[in-house]
Amino acid sequence: MDTLDKYCLYFSTYLTHRHKAVYKDAPPFQLYTKCLQTHGSESMKCILHIGTEKTGTTAIQHFLDENRSLFHSHGILYTKSAGATNNRGLSVAAYDLSRRDDYTKSHSLRTDEQLSKHQDRIIDDLRIEITKTEGVDTVIFSSEHIHSRLRTDSEVERLHSILKSLGFKKIFVIIYLREQVESVTSLYSTAVLYGGRTTLPPAPNEEEVWNNFCDHKESVLRYIRVFGHSFVKPRLFSKDCLLDSSIIMDLIHTAGLSVPKNELKLPSSRMNESISSLGLEVLRRLNLLQPKWSDDGTENPRMYDIPEIFRSVFTNGKKFRISRELEVQYRSSYSASNEWVRR
């Protein structure tokens, strides 16, 4: 994108905001043009942490949120406009218009047109935030939903185009991969916590959503095909493989973030505590009686705080594990994928 194209792009964004009724005051055009000098340079870098789910993403996002000021003082921005803690909005901005999920339901995005307008607003808000933030040469995004929701090449390509349009010259993708049996066990518990009603996880390769979590080779290749091999950094989510056995320290090192370690605020406790097997079964049956989502896509208000209640009550006792037979199936089905990643 040459300088003239950039001026047209930013001026177009300015006009969009000036005329949208949802914004009372359009930011001065100087903010947009200033971005050409401050954020369109060759050195502007993006760190894109895409998950996967159940690999310490909540801890990472709370860490980044807690240390915003320190990062900013060292030229690093952790964005807010795509989500205050989890930058899920960035994944939504890249959705195929046909995609519908819990986010589109909760935001009443029922038509392609509604989703498209919502995507435009997310991108515009990101552009304004990056433009207004001075002294930054690196921007971090973190959301496990980037991996879990953007499951087609067209969506990943759209994500890449969005980031390029925001002025990033270099975009590095960091993805943490967890052993499949551990991942499926944890994912099933989370699914029940948020409305799931099935008695067991599906068999390997049975459902596309679950296969996306487990086929690590395809997950890595999906981003290599779009971002380039040298810009995708897969990491194994295992204490033996993480720097200092810490997901936080490993992320800082992998992302190349230059910040004084002694000034960092580190998470004081484990996030997203799991519930017992008994609590999980009680909740699964409750979900059958009180579905989280109604037929018209609205959330059941009776179930809003149920996950936190169950986490506080059912903390002790035996944890849920998938059957031995299912474990063998998962390990066998994804052994070749895992071997490719190890190489």
Side-chain angles (χ1 to χ4, degrees):
M1 183 183 294
D2 62 24
T3 302
L4 184 58
D5 286 335
K6 289 180 179 179
Y7 270 109
C8 291
L9 175 63
Y10 284 102
F11 188 62
S12 174
T13 304
Y14 168 73
L15 293 176
T16 300
H17 280 272
R18 190 179 68 177
H19 289 286
K20 277 186 177 180
V22 292
Y23 294 97
K24 294 180 180 178
D25 299 300
F29 180 57
Q30 286 82 352
L31 286 178
Y32 295 94
T33 55
K34 185 179 70 173
C35 185
L36 297 175
Q37 288 76 39
T38 59
H39 297 285
S41 68
E42 294 292 309
S43 62
M44 191 62 175
K45 182 172 69 173
C46 171
I47 304 297
L48 187 66
H49 167 238
I50 67 172
T52 59
E53 293 195 16
K54 320 312 296 183
T55 59
T57 54
T58 300
I60 286 172
Q61 288 152 13
H62 279 83
F63 163 76
L64 293 172
D65 184 42
E66 284 291 313
N67 290 276
R68 284 182 189 275
S69 296
L70 177 63
F71 282 125
H72 188 196
S73 68
H74 288 79
I76 304 165
L77 170 66
Y78 184 49
T79 63
K80 287 184 178 179
S81 55
T85 305
N86 180 340
N87 301 150
R88 185 175 183 179
L90 182 60
S91 67
V92 176
Y95 279 10
D96 285 337
L97 290 180
S98 60
R99 189 171 296 286
R100 297 293 182 271
D101 60 8
D102 58 318
Y103 183 100
T104 58
K105 285 181 181 179
S106 63
H107 288 75
S108 300
L109 304 174
R110 297 184 176 88
T111 68
D112 292 358
E113 182 181 7
Q114 288 172 332
L115 177 56
S116 180
K117 289 181 178 179
H118 188 79
Q119 290 174 321
D120 289 343
R121 178 171 177 174
I122 291 170
I123 297 167
D124 289 346
D125 286 347
L126 275 171
R127 184 169 289 117
I128 290 172
E129 180 182 13
I130 294 170
T131 303
K132 291 176 68 175
T133 308
E134 298 183 350
V136 168
D137 56 28
T138 301
V139 177
I140 306 176
F141 295 99
S142 175
S143 179
E144 63 275 24
H145 295 91
I146 295 173
H147 169 264
S148 66
R149 297 303 193 271
L150 306 184
R151 299 192 294 272
T152 65
D153 281 0
S154 64
E155 289 175 310
V156 177
E157 287 167 359
R158 190 174 300 113
L159 172 65
H160 184 259
S161 296
I162 290 169
L163 294 172
K164 285 292 186 179
S165 77
L166 292 174
F168 298 113
K169 182 66 176 178
K170 294 182 179 180
I171 306 167
F172 295 93
V173 179
I174 299 175
I175 178 171
Y176 285 92
L177 306 168
R178 187 174 182 176
E179 192 275 328
Q180 285 86 353
V181 170
E182 292 181 2
S183 181
V184 166
T185 300
S186 186
L187 285 165
Y188 175 75
S189 298
T190 300
V192 173
L193 274 169
Y194 292 95
R197 292 172 282 181
T198 58
T199 54
L200 288 172
N205 300 304
E206 192 173 275
E207 294 185 14
E208 185 254 346
V209 171
W210 290 76
N211 186 57
N212 179 58
F213 289 121
C214 296
D215 190 348
H216 297 332
K217 176 182 177 181
E218 175 53 29
S219 290
V220 173
L221 284 176
R222 191 184 311 141
Y223 284 85
I224 286 177
R225 286 193 291 266
V226 176
F227 288 83
H229 193 281
S230 61
F231 292 96
V232 179
K233 301 183 177 184
R235 301 286 297 163
L236 299 182
F237 182 73
S238 166
K239 282 191 174 182
D240 294 338
C241 300
L242 298 174
L243 181 66
D244 297 336
S245 300
S246 164
I247 186 66
I248 302 299
M249 292 298 106
D250 196 87
L251 178 78
I252 292 172
H253 175 75
T254 304
L257 303 179
S258 299
V259 290
K261 305 293 191 300
N262 62 321
E263 296 182 31
L264 291 171
K265 300 175 185 176
L266 298 175
S268 58
S269 61
R270 185 180 174 185
M271 306 286 182
N272 289 342
E273 288 287 350
S274 60
I275 67 173
S276 67
S277 182
L278 171 62
L280 205 63
E281 178 59 18
V282 172
L283 180 54
R284 187 190 70 81
R285 298 186 185 193
L286 178 60
N287 291 337
L288 291 169
L289 298 173
Q290 291 284 342
K292 182 176 178 62
W293 300 100
S294 63
D295 292 338
D296 65 359
T298 57
E299 190 172 3
N300 184 350
R302 298 186 185 94
M303 301 294 283
Y304 281 162
D305 57 353
I306 290 300
E308 298 313 314
I309 291 174
F310 270 70
R311 278 196 177 107
S312 64
V313 174
F314 293 96
T315 54
N316 299 320
K318 184 180 178 181
K319 303 300 182 183
F320 170 79
R321 293 293 303 180
I322 63 175
S323 69
R324 175 62 180 165
E325 180 183 3
L326 202 54
E327 282 190 21
V328 172
Q329 290 177 21
Y330 268 95
R331 291 199 170 100
S332 174
S333 295
Y334 297 106
S335 60
S337 174
N338 291 347
E339 186 60 30
W340 181 90
V341 172
R342 290 190 190 97
R343 288 191 286 106

